[in-house]
PDB file of all heavy atoms in Angstrom:
ATOM      1  N   MET C 152       0.851  -1.181   0.000  1.00 49.00           N
ATOM      2  CA  MET C 152       0.000   0.000   0.000  1.00 49.00           C
ATOM      3  C   MET C 152       0.886   1.230   0.000  1.00 49.00           C
ATOM      4  O   MET C 152       1.960   1.237   0.585  1.00 49.00           O
ATOM      5  CB  MET C 152      -0.931  -0.023   1.197  1.00 49.00           C
ATOM      6  CG  MET C 152      -1.825   1.193   1.257  1.00 49.00           C
ATOM      7  SD  MET C 152      -3.109   1.101   2.506  1.00 49.00           S
ATOM      8  CE  MET C 152      -4.299   0.141   1.613  1.00 49.00           C
ATOM      9  N   GLU C 160      -9.256  17.619   9.662  1.00 69.00           N
ATOM     10  CA  GLU C 160     -10.568  18.205   9.901  1.00 69.00           C
ATOM     11  C   GLU C 160     -11.650  17.168  10.159  1.00 69.00           C
ATOM     12  O   GLU C 160     -12.471  17.340  11.038  1.00 69.00           O
ATOM     13  CB  GLU C 160     -10.965  19.105   8.734  1.00 69.00           C
ATOM     14  CG  GLU C 160     -10.098  20.347   8.671  1.00 69.00           C
ATOM     15  CD  GLU C 160     -10.573  21.318   7.614  1.00 69.00           C
ATOM     16  OE1 GLU C 160     -11.755  21.268   7.240  1.00 69.00           O
ATOM     17  OE2 GLU C 160      -9.747  22.129   7.183  1.00 69.00           O
ATOM     18  N   GLU C 163     -10.801  11.786   7.640  1.00 79.00           N
ATOM     19  CA  GLU C 163     -10.873  10.996   6.416  1.00 79.00           C
ATOM     20  C   GLU C 163      -9.474  10.593   5.967  1.00 79.00           C
ATOM     21  O   GLU C 163      -8.534  11.386   6.022  1.00 79.00           O
ATOM     22  CB  GLU C 163     -11.560  11.806   5.315  1.00 79.00           C
ATOM     23  CG  GLU C 163     -11.689  11.069   4.007  1.00 79.00           C
ATOM     24  CD  GLU C 163     -12.357  11.912   2.932  1.00 79.00           C
ATOM     25  OE1 GLU C 163     -12.442  13.143   3.076  1.00 79.00           O
ATOM     26  OE2 GLU C 163     -12.790  11.325   1.943  1.00 79.00           O
ATOM     27  N   SER C 172       3.655  12.346  -7.246  1.00 93.00           N
ATOM     28  CA  SER C 172       4.692  13.257  -6.758  1.00 93.00           C
ATOM     29  C   SER C 172       4.485  14.636  -7.361  1.00 93.00           C
ATOM     30  O   SER C 172       3.800  14.798  -8.363  1.00 93.00           O
ATOM     31  CB  SER C 172       6.102  12.738  -7.072  1.00 93.00           C
ATOM     32  OG  SER C 172       6.321  12.731  -8.457  1.00 93.00           O
ATOM     33  N   VAL C 174       5.868  17.714  -9.396  1.00 92.00           N
ATOM     34  CA  VAL C 174       6.878  18.019 -10.407  1.00 92.00           C
ATOM     35  C   VAL C 174       7.424  19.413 -10.149  1.00 92.00           C
ATOM     36  O   VAL C 174       8.634  19.649 -10.166  1.00 92.00           O
ATOM     37  CB  VAL C 174       6.283  17.926 -11.830  1.00 92.00           C
ATOM     38  CG1 VAL C 174       7.273  18.375 -12.874  1.00 92.00           C
ATOM     39  CG2 VAL C 174       5.778  16.519 -12.096  1.00 92.00           C
ATOM     40  N   GLU C 175       6.521  20.325  -9.915  1.00 91.00           N
ATOM     41  CA  GLU C 175       6.831  21.719  -9.638  1.00 91.00           C
ATOM     42  C   GLU C 175       5.628  22.260  -8.876  1.00 91.00           C
ATOM     43  O   GLU C 175       4.562  21.651  -8.885  1.00 91.00           O
ATOM     44  CB  GLU C 175       7.020  22.466 -10.972  1.00 91.00           C
ATOM     45  CG  GLU C 175       7.668  23.818 -10.821  1.00 91.00           C
ATOM     46  CD  GLU C 175       8.040  24.415 -12.168  1.00 91.00           C
ATOM     47  OE1 GLU C 175       8.824  23.786 -12.899  1.00 91.00           O
ATOM     48  OE2 GLU C 175       7.536  25.508 -12.464  1.00 91.00           O
ATOM     49  N   ILE C 178       2.091  21.538 -10.076  1.00 92.00           N
ATOM     50  CA  ILE C 178       2.106  20.548 -11.163  1.00 92.00           C
ATOM     51  C   ILE C 178       2.487  19.201 -10.561  1.00 92.00           C
ATOM     52  O   ILE C 178       3.514  19.077  -9.891  1.00 92.00           O
ATOM     53  CB  ILE C 178       3.085  20.936 -12.289  1.00 92.00           C
ATOM     54  CG1 ILE C 178       2.662  22.275 -12.897  1.00 92.00           C
ATOM     55  CG2 ILE C 178       3.136  19.838 -13.359  1.00 92.00           C
ATOM     56  CD1 ILE C 178       3.610  22.805 -13.951  1.00 92.00           C
ATOM     57  N   SER C 181       1.287  11.274 -11.682  1.00 94.00           N
ATOM     58  CA  SER C 181       0.915  10.056 -10.965  1.00 94.00           C
ATOM     59  C   SER C 181       0.500   8.989 -11.958  1.00 94.00           C
ATOM     60  O   SER C 181       0.363   9.249 -13.150  1.00 94.00           O
ATOM     61  CB  SER C 181      -0.248  10.316  -9.999  1.00 94.00           C
ATOM     62  OG  SER C 181      -1.469  10.451 -10.702  1.00 94.00           O
ATOM     63  N   PHE C 183      -2.565   6.226 -13.010  1.00 92.00           N
ATOM     64  CA  PHE C 183      -3.980   6.496 -13.257  1.00 92.00           C
ATOM     65  C   PHE C 183      -4.771   6.515 -11.952  1.00 92.00           C
ATOM     66  O   PHE C 183      -4.709   5.581 -11.163  1.00 92.00           O
ATOM     67  CB  PHE C 183      -4.557   5.437 -14.206  1.00 92.00           C
ATOM     68  CG  PHE C 183      -5.918   5.798 -14.696  1.00 92.00           C
ATOM     69  CD1 PHE C 183      -6.078   6.701 -15.718  1.00 92.00           C
ATOM     70  CD2 PHE C 183      -7.045   5.260 -14.098  1.00 92.00           C
ATOM     71  CE1 PHE C 183      -7.330   7.065 -16.162  1.00 92.00           C
ATOM     72  CE2 PHE C 183      -8.305   5.615 -14.533  1.00 92.00           C
ATOM     73  CZ  PHE C 183      -8.450   6.522 -15.566  1.00 92.00           C
ATOM     74  N   SER C 193      -9.037  15.910  -4.777  1.00 94.00           N
ATOM     75  CA  SER C 193      -9.880  17.101  -4.615  1.00 94.00           C
ATOM     76  C   SER C 193      -9.224  18.130  -3.697  1.00 94.00           C
ATOM     77  O   SER C 193      -9.555  19.312  -3.761  1.00 94.00           O
ATOM     78  CB  SER C 193     -11.272  16.716  -4.121  1.00 94.00           C
ATOM     79  OG  SER C 193     -11.201  16.172  -2.829  1.00 94.00           O
ATOM     80  N   TYR C 202      -4.091  13.382 -19.874  1.00 92.00           N
ATOM     81  CA  TYR C 202      -4.258  11.928 -19.923  1.00 92.00           C
ATOM     82  C   TYR C 202      -3.535  11.427 -21.168  1.00 92.00           C
ATOM     83  O   TYR C 202      -3.844  11.853 -22.277  1.00 92.00           O
ATOM     84  CB  TYR C 202      -5.754  11.628 -19.966  1.00 92.00           C
ATOM     85  CG  TYR C 202      -6.157  10.185 -20.076  1.00 92.00           C
ATOM     86  CD1 TYR C 202      -5.749   9.241 -19.154  1.00 92.00           C
ATOM     87  CD2 TYR C 202      -7.002   9.772 -21.101  1.00 92.00           C
ATOM     88  CE1 TYR C 202      -6.163   7.923 -19.245  1.00 92.00           C
ATOM     89  CE2 TYR C 202      -7.425   8.458 -21.207  1.00 92.00           C
ATOM     90  CZ  TYR C 202      -7.001   7.538 -20.265  1.00 92.00           C
ATOM     91  OH  TYR C 202      -7.414   6.226 -20.360  1.00 92.00           O
ATOM     92  N   PRO C 205      -4.538   6.121 -25.001  1.00 89.00           N
ATOM     93  CA  PRO C 205      -5.457   6.227 -26.141  1.00 89.00           C
ATOM     94  C   PRO C 205      -6.886   5.787 -25.808  1.00 89.00           C
ATOM     95  O   PRO C 205      -7.818   6.157 -26.503  1.00 89.00           O
ATOM     96  CB  PRO C 205      -4.833   5.306 -27.194  1.00 89.00           C
ATOM     97  CG  PRO C 205      -4.042   4.315 -26.415  1.00 89.00           C
ATOM     98  CD  PRO C 205      -3.552   5.049 -25.187  1.00 89.00           C
ATOM     99  N   GLU C 206      -7.057   5.012 -24.731  1.00 91.00           N
ATOM    100  CA  GLU C 206      -8.392   4.521 -24.370  1.00 91.00           C
ATOM    101  C   GLU C 206      -9.262   5.666 -23.859  1.00 91.00           C
ATOM    102  O   GLU C 206      -8.762   6.632 -23.287  1.00 91.00           O
ATOM    103  CB  GLU C 206      -8.298   3.451 -23.269  1.00 91.00           C
ATOM    104  CG  GLU C 206      -7.540   2.211 -23.661  1.00 91.00           C
ATOM    105  CD  GLU C 206      -6.033   2.362 -23.543  1.00 91.00           C
ATOM    106  OE1 GLU C 206      -5.559   3.232 -22.795  1.00 91.00           O
ATOM    107  OE2 GLU C 206      -5.315   1.623 -24.261  1.00 91.00           O
ATOM    108  N   TYR C 208     -11.464   7.929 -21.514  1.00 93.00           N
ATOM    109  CA  TYR C 208     -11.374   8.183 -20.076  1.00 93.00           C
ATOM    110  C   TYR C 208     -12.612   7.599 -19.415  1.00 93.00           C
ATOM    111  O   TYR C 208     -13.736   7.835 -19.873  1.00 93.00           O
ATOM    112  CB  TYR C 208     -11.288   9.691 -19.848  1.00 93.00           C
ATOM    113  CG  TYR C 208     -10.608  10.089 -18.564  1.00 93.00           C
ATOM    114  CD1 TYR C 208      -9.279   9.788 -18.336  1.00 93.00           C
ATOM    115  CD2 TYR C 208     -11.306  10.771 -17.581  1.00 93.00           C
ATOM    116  CE1 TYR C 208      -8.653  10.164 -17.158  1.00 93.00           C
ATOM    117  CE2 TYR C 208     -10.686  11.157 -16.406  1.00 93.00           C
ATOM    118  CZ  TYR C 208      -9.363  10.844 -16.185  1.00 93.00           C
ATOM    119  OH  TYR C 208      -8.735  11.219 -15.023  1.00 93.00           O
ATOM    120  N   GLU C 210     -15.927   6.755 -17.375  1.00 97.00           N
ATOM    121  CA  GLU C 210     -17.072   7.596 -17.018  1.00 97.00           C
ATOM    122  C   GLU C 210     -17.020   8.050 -15.558  1.00 97.00           C
ATOM    123  O   GLU C 210     -17.307   9.213 -15.251  1.00 97.00           O
ATOM    124  CB  GLU C 210     -18.379   6.841 -17.290  1.00 97.00           C
ATOM    125  CG  GLU C 210     -19.618   7.695 -17.145  1.00 97.00           C
ATOM    126  CD  GLU C 210     -19.695   8.826 -18.150  1.00 97.00           C
ATOM    127  OE1 GLU C 210     -19.237   8.659 -19.293  1.00 97.00           O
ATOM    128  OE2 GLU C 210     -20.217   9.901 -17.786  1.00 97.00           O
ATOM    129  N   ILE C 228      -1.106   7.999 -26.262  1.00 79.00           N
ATOM    130  CA  ILE C 228       0.147   7.348 -26.642  1.00 79.00           C
ATOM    131  C   ILE C 228      -0.135   5.863 -26.723  1.00 79.00           C
ATOM    132  O   ILE C 228      -0.653   5.276 -25.785  1.00 79.00           O
ATOM    133  CB  ILE C 228       1.250   7.613 -25.604  1.00 79.00           C
ATOM    134  CG1 ILE C 228       1.553   9.104 -25.517  1.00 79.00           C
ATOM    135  CG2 ILE C 228       2.513   6.844 -25.949  1.00 79.00           C
ATOM    136  CD1 ILE C 228       2.563   9.462 -24.453  1.00 79.00           C
ATOM    137  N   VAL C 243       2.994  15.490 -31.355  1.00 55.00           N
ATOM    138  CA  VAL C 243       2.495  16.343 -30.277  1.00 55.00           C
ATOM    139  C   VAL C 243       3.674  17.162 -29.768  1.00 55.00           C
ATOM    140  O   VAL C 243       4.601  16.630 -29.196  1.00 55.00           O
ATOM    141  CB  VAL C 243       1.891  15.497 -29.127  1.00 55.00           C
ATOM    142  CG1 VAL C 243       1.419  16.403 -28.013  1.00 55.00           C
ATOM    143  CG2 VAL C 243       0.769  14.624 -29.638  1.00 55.00           C
ATOM    144  N   GLN C 250       0.643  24.362 -23.504  1.00 54.00           N
ATOM    145  CA  GLN C 250      -0.573  25.167 -23.562  1.00 54.00           C
ATOM    146  C   GLN C 250      -1.677  24.525 -22.744  1.00 54.00           C
ATOM    147  O   GLN C 250      -2.432  25.203 -22.067  1.00 54.00           O
ATOM    148  CB  GLN C 250      -1.019  25.376 -25.003  1.00 54.00           C
ATOM    149  CG  GLN C 250      -0.146  26.326 -25.762  1.00 54.00           C
ATOM    150  CD  GLN C 250      -0.508  26.424 -27.222  1.00 54.00           C
ATOM    151  OE1 GLN C 250      -1.257  25.597 -27.758  1.00 54.00           O
ATOM    152  NE2 GLN C 250       0.022  27.417 -27.907  1.00 54.00           N
ATOM    153  N   VAL C 252      -1.292  22.721 -20.098  1.00 51.00           N
ATOM    154  CA  VAL C 252      -0.961  22.924 -18.689  1.00 51.00           C
ATOM    155  C   VAL C 252      -1.217  24.378 -18.296  1.00 51.00           C
ATOM    156  O   VAL C 252      -1.721  24.652 -17.229  1.00 51.00           O
ATOM    157  CB  VAL C 252       0.508  22.544 -18.421  1.00 51.00           C
ATOM    158  CG1 VAL C 252       0.923  22.951 -17.011  1.00 51.00           C
ATOM    159  CG2 VAL C 252       0.718  21.056 -18.623  1.00 51.00           C
TER     160      VAL C 252
END
Side-chain angles (χ1 to χ4, degrees):
M152 179 171 278
E160 291 186 23
E163 180 181 17
S172 66
V174 174
E175 194 171 301
I178 299 176
S181 75
F183 191 80
S193 65
Y202 178 57
E206 298 82 22
Y208 206 63
E210 188 64 34
I228 298 176
V243 178
Q250 287 174 346
V252 171

